[in-house]
Amino acid sequence: QSALTQPPSVSGSPGQSVTISCTGTSSDVGGYNRVSWYQQPPGTAPKLMIYEVGNRPSGVPDRFSGSKSGNTASLTISGLQAEDDADYYCSSYAGSNTWVFGGGTKLTVL
Amino acid sequence: QLQLQESGPGLVKPSDTLSLACTVYGGSISSSDNYWAWLRQSPGKGLEWIGTTYYTGTTYYNPSLKSRVTISVDTSKNQFSLRLSSVTAADTAVYYCARKARAYDYQHDQWGQGTLVTVSS
């Protein structure tokens, strides 16, 4: 079980769109439509933003969207706002009741 | 509204056993739907899933930690607990407890605030 691969950092200006990738294997991301994304501002606990690849929990703005192609999942944030400045983590079900996470991506809103 | 709260020592000596508890407020740990998980985040690093339990005592562990981890449930206290044996500095992390709402859910939708555990002599 290896960690999922995310870019260490991405950035964008207010109003722009950014996409964060999350690459795994056929044993996790590619094998299941069970990818979730979490937002973590500094000093706080992770907050669920996307589940099952592209579903948003109630209360999450529709500026946040998720997708998947093969072994890579993506989180897209459109219409960037200052409050989106945070770390983002992907997670995937990896079979046999196990989960794997990514190393995290720091989003900087310029 | 469901809330989770971690508790336990913030400092553990190398080779000792780390013990943490997570108390569930606003809901029953014995809910037939919910599963309960422990995760951790080492300083400056990503999240790591440690293991998951159900109120009946069924447990699932991260293969890389399985030999050192025990997760248990105390329904009388509405708590579940983590024990990690033979700790080293590499186990220094913020430890989170979290909920997986249903058996067929694959995300963790509620998290505790986290507690920092430092392994040092």
Side-chain angles (χ1 to χ4, degrees), chain A residues 2-92:
Chain A
S2 299
L4 306 176
T5 301
Q6 297 181 234
S9 63
V10 297
S11 63
S13 299
Q16 290 185 332
S17 295
V18 295
T19 297
I20 300 171
S21 62
C22 170
T23 301
T25 69
S26 59
S27 296
D28 38 64
V29 174
Y32 308 93
N33 288 322
R34 309 298 188 194
V35 176
S36 50
W37 289 90
Y38 301 86
Q39 178 192 63
Q40 187 180 34
T44 69
K47 174 188 175 184
L48 179 67
M49 303 300 283
I50 295 287
Y51 66 98
E52 293 177 2
V53 176
N55 295 309
R56 283 185 308 276
S58 63
V60 173
D62 60 6
R63 302 185 294 103
F64 291 82
S65 62
S67 62
K68 192 188 85 167
S69 177
N71 295 338
T72 298
S74 299
L75 172 71
T76 297
I77 308 170
S78 59
L80 270 178
Q81 298 182 4
E83 66 205 49
D84 300 332
D85 196 292
D87 293 333
Y88 291 83
Y89 294 89
C90 62
S91 174
S92 176

Side-chain angles (χ1 to χ4, degrees), chain B residues 73-119:
Chain B
V73 175
D74 186 339
T75 56
S76 68
K77 295 181 179 179
N78 222 36
Q79 284 182 346
F80 62 107
S81 300
L82 169 70
R83 288 174 58 85
L84 180 66
S85 64
S86 305
V87 298
T88 69
D91 295 309
T92 293
V94 175
Y95 286 76
Y96 294 99
C97 56
R99 181 188 75 166
K100 187 174 79 72
R102 288 174 292 270
Y104 51 87
D105 278 352
Y106 296 87
Q107 65 277 357
H108 299 89
D109 67 334
Q110 294 287 340
W111 294 63
Q113 66 186 28
T115 187
L116 174 62
V117 178
T118 301
V119 179

Side-chain angles (χ1 to χ4, degrees), chain B:
Chain B
Q1 182 179 352
L2 189 81
Q3 292 186 334
L4 295 85
Q5 177 70 56
E6 304 90 350
S7 59
L11 181 64
V12 181
K13 289 183 169 54
S15 79
D16 282 358
T17 296
L18 177 160
S19 296
L20 296 174
C22 179
T23 303
V24 178
Y25 298 99
S28 172
I29 200 169
S30 302
S31 167
S32 60
D33 290 334
N34 297 165
Y35 286 69
W36 309 98
W38 284 101
L39 305 98
R40 70 181 182 179
Q41 186 171 32
S42 301
K45 295 189 178 180
L47 291 160
E48 180 179 32
W49 172 76
I50 299 171
T52 298
T53 190
Y54 190 54
Y55 80 95
T56 56
T58 299
T59 53
Y60 309 98
Y61 297 134
N62 187 321
S64 67
L65 297 170
K66 186 175 183 177
S67 63
R68 299 194 292 128
V69 173
T70 302
I71 296 175
S72 58
V73 175
D74 186 339
T75 56
S76 68
K77 295 181 179 179
N78 222 36
Q79 284 182 346
F80 62 107
S81 300
L82 169 70
R83 288 174 58 85
L84 180 66
S85 64
S86 305
V87 298
T88 69
D91 295 309
T92 293
V94 175
Y95 286 76
Y96 294 99
C97 56
R99 181 188 75 166
K100 187 174 79 72
R102 288 174 292 270
Y104 51 87
D105 278 352
Y106 296 87
Q107 65 277 357
H108 299 89
D109 67 334
Q110 294 287 340
W111 294 63
Q113 66 186 28
T115 187
L116 174 62
V117 178
T118 301
V119 179
S120 175
S121 55

